[in-house]
């Protein structure tokens, strides 16, 4: 693994912020690394291919990058913020219902995050 790949992996593993490639690029530069955005993308693609980083795609938003420890996501419909959540494992239920062997599944639960919910209440007053 290259030094850049290792640094990017470390940032992702130490963060709970679901960073975009742009945000990772800025973080790398802040920490004094000379790197281009294209290199960040290349490394992210490799890390995802190797299964070391999880790519989280939400429609209409830039991809975000996450650590690979198993967890699900609550997605705010308004601002797109991702919040980690651990729902009970559904593999057995999905297998039972579908009759196929489940390799993996992606669960994205839509909701309004507390900030957006508060803002909604404000504007309705
Ligand atoms: Zn929100
Ligand atoms: Zn996550």
């Amino acid at each position: 693994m290259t030094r850049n790949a290792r640094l990017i992996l470390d940032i992702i593993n130490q963060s709970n912020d679901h960073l975009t490639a742009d945000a990772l690029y800025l973080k790398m530069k802040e920490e004094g690394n000379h790197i281009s955005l294209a290199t960040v993308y290349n490394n992210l693609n490799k890390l995802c291919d190797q299964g070391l980083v999880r790519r989280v795609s939400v429609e209409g938003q830039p991809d975000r990058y996450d650590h690979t420890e198993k967890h699900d996501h609550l997605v705010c419909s308004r601002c797109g913020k991702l919040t980690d959540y651990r729902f009970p494992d559904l593999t057995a239920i999905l297998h039972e219902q579908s009759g196929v062997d489940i390799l993996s599944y992606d669960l994205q639960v839509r909701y309004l995050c507390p900030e957006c919910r508060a803002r909604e209440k404000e504007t309705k007053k």
Side-chain angles (χ1 to χ4, degrees), residues 48-66:
C48 289
D49 286 348
Q50 291 165 349
L52 297 170
V53 165
R54 171 172 170 189
R55 180 185 280 117
V56 185
S57 300
V58 176
E59 216 182 303
Q61 290 186 27
D63 285 345
R64 279 169 283 189
Y65 298 89
D66 205 356

Side-chain angles (χ1 to χ4, degrees), residues 86-103:
R86 279 175 181 75
F87 289 101
D89 188 67
L90 299 174
T91 307
I93 295 167
L94 294 171
H95 172 66
E96 205 171 287
Q97 301 267 325
S98 64
V100 300
D101 288 330
I102 310 293
L103 300 176

Side-chain angles (χ1 to χ4, degrees), residues 4-5 8 24-25 28-29 32-40 43:
N4 281 333
I8 290 171
L24 280 161
Y25 168 64
M28 289 284 281
K29 289 229 301 192
N33 301 292
H34 297 282
I35 190 168
S36 69
L37 185 56
T39 307
V40 171
N43 279 297

